[in-house]
Amino acid sequence: MQPAGQDAVSAVVAALGDKVKVRYDRVGKNAAGADERQMFMEVVSGTVAEAEAIVTAQLMAAGYKAGHRFEDGNGARQLYRTRHGQPVRTLARPKGVGPALKDPKAIGSIYLKR
């Protein structure tokens, strides 16, 4: 099992491989002053559901537990928690929902925040 946190997020990106194009990956401070990593990926191969499944599998392998999945007109939100470290939140969206996608092959996006 991998340690929770930055390594788990990096493992997600590695597992997604060429299914996604990372548009941005940045670390800043959240409202509480803690480091927060935000990543926006465009899904360019397969389906958004397949990419979501890879995210879930990688985070669970790193010791996270998946919380309630919530869908609305803005996409599908998922919260992952672990006993140690910050939670990870994801938002998966099909093309046409959320920000404009830049890659012409993009069929959707996944936003990840830890």
Side-chain angles (χ1 to χ4, degrees), residues 34-104:
D35 284 342
E36 177 178 87
R37 186 173 182 181
Q38 297 177 358
M39 183 179 298
F40 185 77
M41 300 169 280
E42 294 184 359
V43 180
V44 295
S45 175
T47 67
V48 175
E50 290 169 348
E52 271 189 285
I54 292 169
V55 170
T56 297
Q58 288 299 310
L59 290 174
M60 291 181 81
Y64 284 86
K65 294 192 186 302
H68 178 71
R69 186 172 184 270
F70 175 79
E71 290 187 51
D72 61 16
N74 195 32
R77 299 171 192 278
Q78 181 78 50
L79 173 66
Y80 300 88
R81 292 189 182 271
T82 183
R83 295 182 90 175
H84 308 289
Q86 291 177 299
V88 174
R89 299 174 195 287
T90 62
L91 173 58
R93 298 170 164 158
K95 186 174 186 173
V97 177
L101 303 177
K102 294 187 178 185
D103 192 300

